[in-house]
Amino acid sequence: MAGAGDAVEILPVEEAVARDGVTEIEEGSRDSTDELRHYLSINFASLQGEINALHREITSRDILLRKLEESVTRLSEDIIPLKDYVTAKMQEEVHSDQARNGDQETEEEENNRAQNRCVDVMMSLTEIRENNEEKTQKVRGFYEKIYKASPFTSRMLTFLERNRGVKVIVDCDSSNISNLVRRLVSLDAAKTHGTEFHAFTDFFQCKVYLGGKAEKSKVYESNTGRYVYKIYDPEVSLAQSLAQMVMYLIFNNRGCPYACDDELYEKLYEKIVLETSQKKSSGTSVDQLINDALSMTSYFAREVSLISVVPGMLVKYGSKEGMSKLQEQMPFLMLFFMQHVIPKMGS
């Protein structure tokens, strides 16, 4: 894994520049690089360098090389559409409140039917502790909010609707899962108690545990003083836990968002996690969900947790604001989710 103290490697493109001036690679990518710098204040050169380094490592594998070259092209070309997508989603939010014609109303009715069917299936996969009608409606509201938050989160629930392999267990009377599971082993491989978790994804049992009681705030004492922790929204934690389960079902790699033998996307995701961690370490302000994911002790736990931040933020803030925050704070993670994870959900 690349680290901050690694030696800088002279890449083939740089050697060519020293010999011949401008290379064909630079000529072909200059326009997309200029556009990237215009829309995002992020240095793409380090990511390009990482992918080129990977290119050298796996030269003996022609198929993977072709995938790598295609990925480099897509990454450079698709950053700009990401901004366009956010703008389009904002406009869509505005227009959704305006009067609709007959065809649009029909489409809305079809969407509502699809939502109700999906939510019905998710409710059939859900067990509610000491259930009653009020709790049933509350949990149903969690799924409805996740479905409505974004096309990405609705796709996630639709995937689970089709697979039907997950079981969700909810305690609406508590904000933690201690009444559902007393002791467990965390993603950091630490033995701990259910009181430590608002939600937990048990990959091996295909179960998601959720404390369904919302919390406005929680006060903590530490050596540095007393502070108030974040507001707890059960539907946000549920979206993140379900996202982790989806990663597990799709990629079969302990919850990581890439297959075990996919060196290309493993290296690419590793680079994204590293850059996001460096942004946090540099003092750049990031959302609490990002901070929580990057505060995990092990690298494996950070990998599994960080990808679930994308649906978490879309549910927490809604499509418009959530997309804007993701574009600002984690543009490459958002692009990875759109370009690599979402297509897998539909395949």
Side-chain angles (χ1 to χ4, degrees), residues 15 29 31 43 45 80 104 129 158 182 247 263 290 322:
E15 294 174 352
S29 63
D31 292 341
N43 188 355
I80 298 169
Q104 289 173 318
R129 180 176 178 270
T158 302
R182 296 197 177 277
M247 300 304 116
E263 295 182 41
I290 303 173

Side-chain angles (χ1 to χ4, degrees), residues 34-303:
D34 290 341
E35 291 293 336
L36 174 60
R37 289 172 178 168
H38 177 69
Y39 286 107
L40 298 172
S41 59
I42 293 176
N43 188 355
F44 187 66
S46 60
L47 182 61
Q48 186 81 29
E50 186 73 9
I51 297 175
N52 285 338
L54 176 61
H55 190 167
R56 296 186 60 189
E57 292 172 11
I58 57 177
T59 52
S60 62
R61 302 176 63 176
D62 293 340
I63 295 177
L64 197 55
L65 274 173
R66 287 196 295 271
K67 288 177 62 180
L68 177 60
E69 292 165 357
E70 292 169 1
S71 179
V72 173
T73 302
R74 288 197 304 269
L75 279 171
S76 60
E77 292 176 350
D78 288 349
I79 288 292
I80 298 169
L82 176 58
K83 182 178 180 65
D84 296 337
Y85 179 86
V86 173
T87 303
K89 291 304 295 180
M90 291 178 178
Q91 294 173 347
E92 182 181 318
E93 293 275 341
V94 173
H95 295 317
S96 65
D97 295 329
Q98 299 175 353
R100 295 180 171 88
N101 59 35
D103 291 340
Q104 289 173 318
E105 290 175 354
T106 301
E107 182 179 351
E108 182 178 358
E109 290 173 354
E110 291 176 355
N111 291 337
N112 287 337
R113 283 195 294 272
Q115 173 188 306
N116 290 334
R117 182 179 64 249
C118 182
V119 172
D120 286 343
V121 171
M122 293 307 301
M123 289 299 294
S124 73
L125 303 174
T126 301
E127 175 185 318
I128 303 174
R129 180 176 178 270
E130 298 180 357
N131 194 17
N132 56 40
E133 182 61 27
E134 181 181 356
K135 293 177 181 178
T136 296
Q137 293 305 313
K138 181 178 183 179
V139 174
R140 187 178 184 87
F142 294 163
Y143 289 123
E144 289 174 346
K145 184 170 182 179
I146 293 171
Y147 191 98
K148 293 176 181 177
S150 163
F152 298 152
T153 52
S154 64
R155 180 75 64 87
M156 181 177 73
L157 288 189
T158 302
F159 173 85
L160 293 171
E161 174 195 357
R162 292 197 309 267
N163 287 269
R164 305 192 183 194
V166 64
K167 184 178 181 65
V168 182
I169 307 172
V170 184
D171 182 3
C172 291
D173 299 316
S174 175
S175 61
N176 62 62
I177 61 172
S178 58
N179 293 324
L180 305 177
V181 54
R182 296 197 177 277
R183 297 198 65 81
L184 51 85
V185 178
S186 70
L187 287 172
D188 283 323
K191 294 180 179 179
T192 185
H193 195 271
T195 53
E196 301 294 321
F197 294 89
H198 292 307
F200 183 76
T201 307
D202 186 335
F203 296 123
F204 303 107
Q205 298 294 325
C206 277
K207 292 181 178 179
V208 168
Y209 299 95
L210 177 72
K213 183 179 179 180
E215 270 188 358
K216 293 184 177 180
S217 63
K218 183 180 290 187
V219 178
Y220 283 86
E221 302 283 349
S222 69
N223 294 333
T224 58
R226 183 173 180 270
Y227 66 97
V228 178
Y229 197 53
K230 64 178 182 179
I231 294 174
Y232 168 57
D233 295 318
E235 57 268 33
V236 175
S237 289
L238 178 58
Q240 291 189 261
S241 295
L242 291 176
Q244 291 175 14
M245 184 62 73
V246 167
M247 300 304 116
Y248 177 78
L249 294 172
I250 290 176
F251 299 105
N252 194 28
N253 188 17
R254 303 182 301 159
C256 294
Y258 51 84
C260 296
D261 59 350
D262 193 337
E263 295 182 41
L264 168 65
Y265 281 103
E266 179 182 2
K267 289 287 186 180
L268 186 56
Y269 189 63
E270 179 182 292
K271 178 66 175 176
I272 291 170
V273 175
L274 177 62
E275 288 188 343
T276 309
S277 300
Q278 290 173 340
K279 178 181 290 189
K280 175 179 177 291
S281 300
S282 69
T284 303
S285 177
V286 295
D287 190 85
Q288 185 64 51
L289 296 183
I290 303 173
N291 186 70
D292 288 347
L294 296 177
S295 296
M296 304 292 285
T297 302
S298 68
Y299 178 76
F300 165 70
R302 291 194 292 273
E303 274 200 320

